């Protein structure tokens, strides 16, 4: 009704008492104006009865403290946020595997169903929205890698977030340690690491 799924009125007392009180006051008002001095016409008498009855009803409603509840349901589709590292470290010449792995993962993301189920972002100096058709056009030119910016943006989101995916080489060069922030949001966070994790001999 009126675009709402639920419309409910709650009273501090039983509705039976409200109906009874309204009837009693209307009858009382009617007999109060049945005989007047001086006598008045019937239309004016009806007007006086209506005005006084309305005043009594307003007073009664204040006493019963009615509360109107309007409820509207909306279905929020579960949404996955995917954050892609756009920092310069992905281009590292010391780790040739990193760029290859990164490109392979990006290519696999293009096959995702992107109808309101996934949103893409880049992060580095800050978090920026990324259109799905721009996945293969990342500049990888940001000087910093700030993971804390990711979780700040998640806290500000109004979507029904089901999970978070982070693609990065894991090199944090700015901001606080993201572990505590990841635990605090209460949303599953999946990380995809790229690069050679083996230790190199000096």
């Amino acid at each position: 009704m009126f675009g709402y799924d639920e419309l409910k009125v709650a009273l501090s007392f039983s509705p039976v008492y409200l109906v009874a009180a309204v009837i009693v006051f209307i009858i009382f008002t009617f007999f109060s104006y049945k005989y007047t001095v001086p006598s008045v016409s019937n239309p004016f008498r009806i007007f006086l009865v209506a005005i006084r009855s309305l005043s009594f009803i307003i007073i009664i409603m204040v006493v019963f403290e009615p509360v109107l509840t309007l409820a509207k349901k909306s279905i929020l589709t579960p949404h996955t946020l995917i954050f892609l590292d756009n920092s310069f470290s992905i281009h590292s010449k010391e780790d040739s595997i990193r760029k290859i792995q990164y490109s392979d993962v990006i290519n696999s993301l293009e096959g995702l169903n992107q109808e309101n189920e996934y949103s893409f972002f880049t992060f580095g100096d800050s978090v920026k929205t990324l259109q799905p058709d721009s996945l293969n056009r990342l500049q990888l030119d940001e000087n910093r890698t700030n993971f804390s910016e990711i979780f700040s943006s998640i806290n500000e989101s109004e979507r029904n977030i089901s999970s978070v995916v982070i693609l990065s080489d894991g090199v944090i060069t700015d901001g606080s340690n993201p572990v505590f922030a990841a635990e605090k949001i209460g949303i599953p966070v999946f990380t995809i690491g790229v690069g050679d994790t083996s230790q190199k001999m000096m």
Side-chain angles (χ1 to χ4, degrees), residues 78-93:
H79 213 78
T80 297
L81 306 185
I82 301 177
F83 294 87
L84 308 176
D85 193 338
N86 194 41
S87 63
F88 187 75
S89 60
I90 301 295
H91 268 308
S92 174
K93 294 180 180 179

Side-chain angles (χ1 to χ4, degrees), residues 126-141:
S126 61
V127 173
K128 302 180 183 68
T129 302
L130 179 67
Q131 298 302 320
D133 56 2
S134 301
L135 290 177
N136 275 314
R137 295 199 293 272
L138 294 179
Q139 298 299 315
L140 303 178
D141 57 356

Side-chain angles (χ1 to χ4, degrees), residues 46 71 109 140:
I46 294 173
L109 293 176
L140 303 178

Side-chain angles (χ1 to χ4, degrees), residues 36-130:
T36 61
V37 179
S39 180
V40 295
S41 62
N42 286 332
F44 188 61
R45 181 180 290 109
I46 294 173
F47 173 74
L48 292 175
V49 170
I51 291 297
R52 191 166 184 178
S53 298
L54 181 60
S55 301
F56 279 128
I57 290 173
I58 292 175
I59 294 173
I60 293 172
M61 293 299 290
V62 171
V63 172
F64 277 78
E65 299 178 343
V67 176
L68 176 63
T69 301
L70 301 175
K72 181 181 290 187
K73 297 178 182 178
S74 58
I75 300 175
L76 299 177
T77 304
H79 213 78
T80 297
L81 306 185
I82 301 177
F83 294 87
L84 308 176
D85 193 338
N86 194 41
S87 63
F88 187 75
S89 60
I90 301 295
H91 268 308
S92 174
K93 294 180 180 179
E94 297 177 359
D95 189 352
S96 58
I97 298 177
R98 185 177 304 176
K99 181 66 181 299
I100 297 174
Q101 290 179 338
Y102 195 83
S103 298
D104 289 341
V105 176
I106 292 294
N107 290 333
S108 66
L109 293 176
E110 290 185 324
L112 293 176
N113 175 18
Q114 297 162 0
E115 293 185 3
N116 300 322
E117 295 181 11
Y118 300 92
S119 290
F120 296 91
F121 303 87
T122 62
F123 73 98
D125 298 325
S126 61
V127 173
K128 302 180 183 68
T129 302
L130 179 67

